[in-house]
């Protein structure tokens, strides 16, 4: 399975876990159009990444037993002046000084 596909599936499973709507492993496999073995492997990967996930018989769903967040990807963030200076060695400050 390609890495991007696997990440997308993990993100989808994460959403379903948060909603307590995975169903049992067979239902989850059918929903995601995967084999049950693949679902079990993906749940194992999620656990290896540190997620406290368990199957809950009462909810008939996988659930997180503690609050967690999952993010995978690159996100734009604004840098403060110290971070900009660290990244470019203060060049931005030099450019600002020549403008004045």
């Amino acid at each position: 399975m390609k890495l991007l596909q696997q990440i997308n599936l993990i993100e989808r499973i994460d959403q379903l876990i948060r909603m307590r709507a995975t169903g049992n492993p067979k239902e989850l496999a059918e929903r995601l159009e995967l084999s049950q073995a693949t679902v079990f492997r993906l749940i194992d990967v999620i656990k290896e990444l540190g997620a406290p996930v368990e199957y809950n018989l009462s909810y008939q769903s996988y659930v997180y037993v503690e609050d967690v967040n999952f993010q995978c990807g690159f996100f734009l963030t604004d840098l403060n002046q110290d971070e900009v200076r660290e990244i470019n060695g203060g060049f931005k400050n030099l450019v600002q000084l020549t403008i004045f």
Side-chain angles (χ1 to χ4, degrees):
M1 184 179 304
K2 293 181 182 178
L3 179 61
L4 202 49
Q5 279 180 309
Q6 192 171 20
I7 291 170
N8 287 334
L9 285 168
I10 290 171
E11 287 175 337
R12 179 69 178 128
I13 292 170
D14 173 64
Q15 290 172 342
L16 292 170
I17 291 172
R18 287 177 193 289
M19 296 185 313
R20 296 183 175 173
T22 65
N24 63 41
K26 182 180 179 188
E27 293 167 337
L28 182 57
E30 289 172 0
R31 178 178 290 174
L32 299 176
E33 298 179 357
L34 302 170
S35 69
Q36 274 187 266
T38 300
V39 166
F40 288 127
R41 281 193 296 272
L42 287 167
I43 294 294
D44 285 343
V45 168
I46 291 169
K47 288 178 180 180
E48 287 174 16
L49 290 170
V53 64
E54 294 179 357
Y55 187 76
N56 184 298
L57 289 173
S58 299
Y59 292 113
Q60 292 290 298
S61 176
Y62 286 98
V63 297
Y64 291 123
V65 294
E66 294 179 53
D67 288 337
V68 294
N69 288 317
F70 175 75
Q71 291 182 335
C72 187
F74 296 94
F75 303 93
L76 296 176
T77 60
D78 293 329
L79 300 177
N80 66 39
Q81 231 173 347
D82 290 335
E83 291 169 324
V84 170
R85 217 174 293 118
E86 185 177 315
I87 290 170
N88 64 20
F91 181 72
K92 182 176 180 181
N93 290 339
L94 181 61
V95 172
Q96 288 176 347
L97 289 174
T98 58
I99 294 173
F100 295 110

